[in-house]
Amino acid sequence: MFVLVNLKTYPCDPVAVAEAVRDVDETTDARLAVAPQAAHIERVAETGVETWAQHVDPIDHGSNTGHALAESAADAGAVGTLINHSERRLKLAAIDGAVRAAERADLETVVCANNPAQIGAAAALGPDAVAVEPPELIGTGTPVSQADPDVVEDAVEAAANVDPAVSVLCGAGISTGDDVVAAGDLGAEGVLLASGVAKADDPEAALEDLVEPL
């Protein structure tokens, strides 16, 4: 089970959270990673934790002021990137371009989508994984696996019908170990979460609770 912690732009200490993720990762068979803000990728990667970017743009080197270049994320220590998170939406052509940019930089990719139909379209672009995240559940503490389990099962089926090699992750409202287990029972191979760890008083304890049932 892959557990990817997105720090968004929360006012947390990215290095402290990264160290917590790294330490818990050493105690579990689950795969743990953290996605900090772009400016913090290098500092987070230096802790030894698996580090992801939150976004890359569909660009190459050149005149692209203010954009996120995949090679820069990789040079800073990222090994993967989220694409098309519901808080950083892209059009389909731009998603495709971002996946290609990430591939060029040897970054693993997770393309986010809101529903099973979008999951199928995203899987057709050939990312490493897709993540279904109904935006209305993000940050609520109510996991999609509980609020609408059919969404997860249908997303898994939609991706498999397009490309069985594309893994499916589950996001939105994930905050406990039971949520992670439920996501796995529905066919997901990993979870995305944010506030459950990034806003926790004790991120390490929150992570230990997440992986304990695995």
Side-chain angles (χ1 to χ4, degrees):
M1 182 64 73
F2 182 33
V3 178
L4 178 54
V5 181
N6 178 12
L7 301 187
K8 303 193 176 184
T9 58
Y10 289 134
C12 59
D13 181 340
V15 172
V17 176
E19 290 173 341
V21 174
R22 177 202 63 200
D23 291 348
V24 174
D25 183 57
E26 294 173 353
T27 71
T28 177
D29 291 333
R31 173 189 174 194
L32 274 59
V34 61
Q37 296 178 53
H40 300 152
I41 289 175
E42 186 168 6
R43 290 168 55 207
V44 165
E46 286 174 349
T47 68
V49 74
E50 182 177 329
T51 305
W52 281 54
Q54 295 181 8
H55 169 80
V56 297
D57 284 304
I59 59 167
D60 202 341
H61 292 278
S63 303
N64 302 294
T65 302
H67 288 74
L69 181 69
E71 283 83 357
S72 294
D75 288 346
V79 299
T81 185
L82 295 173
I83 295 171
N84 195 50
H85 189 276
S86 64
E87 296 159 358
R88 188 66 173 85
R89 299 291 300 277
L90 300 172
K91 293 183 178 179
L92 190 62
I95 297 171
D96 188 25
V99 170
R100 304 287 84 77
E103 289 176 344
R104 190 182 64 229
D106 292 323
L107 293 174
E108 192 173 341
T109 51
V110 172
V111 175
C112 301
N114 292 349
N115 55 56
Q118 292 182 12
I119 285 290
L125 302 177
D128 295 290
V130 290
V132 60
E133 285 196 306
E136 66 273 14
L137 296 177
I138 292 176
T140 65
T142 301
V144 63
S145 56
Q146 178 185 109
D148 194 351
D150 289 346
V151 167
V152 181
E153 291 182 320
D154 291 348
V156 171
E157 182 179 0
N161 287 340
V162 173
D163 186 348
V166 176
S167 302
V168 178
L169 280 60
C170 173
I174 303 293
S175 60
T176 70
D178 289 343
D179 297 340
V180 179
V181 171
D185 289 344
L186 293 169
E189 296 180 43
V191 295
L192 300 183
L193 69 154
S195 58
V197 172
K199 297 174 73 173
D201 292 334
D202 187 340
E204 186 165 348
L207 283 162
E208 288 172 342
D209 174 68
L210 277 166
V211 303
E212 191 274 332
L214 302 180

